[in-house]
C-alpha cells in the first residue's frame, strides 16, 4: 500500500511535468515561434503542418503518453485507498482513470508514431498532404477530448471521495472539483481552462496524497 501511495505521488508529478510542457507550448512557444496568434490560426493547415514537425509538439506528445500511464497509477491508487469506505465510488474513479488513460495514450501515439506515419504519407503524396493533416488533426482533437473528459470525471470522483472520507484538504477538494468540471465541459465546448487547473492540482496531489 505504501509503495502504491508513493507511485501515485510520482505519477502526479509526471502529469505536472507533462502539463507544464503543454502550458509552455500554449502560452509561449506556439504564439511566439509557431505563428499561432489566435485560436483561428489552429485552423490554418500551413501552420499546423509546420508545427507538427516542431520538437515542442513532439515533447507534448510524449507528455500525453506519459500521462496515459500515470493515469492508470492514479486510478489504482484511488481505488486501493477508497475501496473499503466507498467501494462504488472507488470503482467509478478507477474506470474514469482508465478512460482518461486511453484518451491520453491515443493522443500521444498520434503525436509520436502517428506523426512519423503522417510525414511519410504526406511527403510521398504531396497532392494529398492537406487532406492527411486535416484528417489527423480531427482525430487528434477527438481523442484529446476523450482524455480531458476522462480526466475531468476522475477529478470529480477524487474530490468527492476526499470530501466524503475527510482524507483530503477541503481547499484541494474544491479546486479539484472545479478542475474536473472544466474537463467535463470539453464534452460540449472547447474551453481549455483545464490546462492550468490540472497543472496546479497534479502538483498539489503529489504533496497531499502522502499526508492523507
Amino acid at each position: 500500500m505504501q509503495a502504491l501511495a508513493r507511485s501515485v505521488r510520482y505519477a502526479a508529478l509526471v502529469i505536472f511535468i507533462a502539463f507544464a510542457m503543454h502550458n509552455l507550448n500554449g502560452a509561449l512557444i506556439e504564439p511566439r515561434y509557431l505563428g499561432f496568434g489566435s485560436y483561428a490560426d489552429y485552423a490554418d493547415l500551413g501552420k499546423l503542418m509546420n508545427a507538427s514537425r516542431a520538437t515542442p509538439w513532439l515533447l507534448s506528445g510524449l507528455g500525453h503518453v506519459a500521462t496515459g500511464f500515470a493515469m492508470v497509477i492514479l486510478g489504482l491508487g484511488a481505488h486501493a485507498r477508497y475501496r473499503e469506505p466507498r467501494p462504488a465510488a472507488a470503482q467509478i474513479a478507477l474506470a474514469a482513470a482508465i478512460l482518461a488513460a486511453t484518451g491520453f495514450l491515443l493522443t500521444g501515439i498520434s503525436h509520436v508514431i502517428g506523426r512519423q506515419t503522417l510525414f511519410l504519407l504526406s511527403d510521398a503524396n504531396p497532392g494529398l498532404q492537406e487532406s492527411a493533416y486535416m484528417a489527423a488533426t480531427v482525430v487528434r482533437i477527438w481523442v484529446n477530448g476523450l482524455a480531458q473528459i476522462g480526466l475531468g470525471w476522475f477529478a470529480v470522483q477524487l474530490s468527492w471521495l476526499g470530501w466524503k472520507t475527510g482524507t483530503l484538504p477541503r481547499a484541494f477538494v474544491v479546486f479539484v472539483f472545479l478542475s474536473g468540471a472544466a474537463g467535463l465541459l470539453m464534452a460540449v465546448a472547447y474551453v481549455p481552462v483545464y490546462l492550468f487547473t490540472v497543472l496546479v492540482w497534479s502538483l498539489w496531489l503529489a504533496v497531499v496524497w502522502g499526508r492523507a
Side-chain angles (χ1 to χ4, degrees), residues 72-208:
V72 175
I73 302 300
L74 259 60
L76 291 172
H79 182 263
R81 174 163 290 182
Y82 297 113
R83 63 187 174 189
E84 290 186 7
R86 298 284 174 175
Q91 287 182 326
I92 294 173
L94 177 58
I98 293 173
L99 183 67
T102 302
F104 277 113
L105 285 170
L106 289 173
T107 304
I109 289 169
S110 74
H111 269 286
V112 183
I113 299 175
R115 76 196 287 267
Q116 298 171 20
T117 306
L118 179 62
F119 298 161
L120 179 65
L121 291 173
S122 62
D123 291 345
N125 303 275
L128 298 174
Q129 192 173 61
E130 290 191 355
S131 298
Y133 274 89
M134 184 174 293
T137 300
V138 170
V139 171
R140 190 172 296 155
I141 290 171
W142 289 347
V143 293
N144 185 54
L146 173 65
Q148 304 310 328
I149 293 167
L151 179 58
W153 188 14
F154 173 78
V156 168
Q157 285 298 123
L158 180 64
S159 66
W160 191 87
L161 286 164
W163 174 53
K164 284 293 185 181
T165 59
T167 54
L168 295 173
R170 183 59 58 90
F172 175 81
V173 165
V174 172
F175 187 86
V176 172
F177 180 83
L178 294 175
S179 176
L184 290 173
L185 186 61
M186 287 284 288
V188 294
Y190 182 73
V191 183
V193 178
Y194 69 88
L195 279 171
F196 309 104
T197 59
V198 174
L199 182 69
V200 174
W201 77 250
S202 57
L203 181 60
W204 201 349
L205 179 62
V207 175
V208 302

Side-chain angles (χ1 to χ4, degrees), residues 21-86:
M21 186 66 222
H22 302 329
N23 277 276
L24 180 63
N25 272 336
L28 177 64
I29 295 174
E30 290 174 6
R32 180 168 295 185
Y33 300 106
L34 298 180
F36 295 102
S38 66
Y39 285 126
D41 289 329
Y42 289 92
D44 187 322
L45 284 177
K47 292 181 179 179
L48 286 173
M49 287 188 282
N50 177 61
S52 294
R53 296 177 184 268
T55 299
W57 270 31
L58 174 59
L59 292 176
S60 192
L62 291 171
H64 280 114
V65 172
T67 300
F69 289 117
M71 284 305 304
V72 175
I73 302 300
L74 259 60
L76 291 172
H79 182 263
R81 174 163 290 182
Y82 297 113
R83 63 187 174 189
E84 290 186 7
R86 298 284 174 175

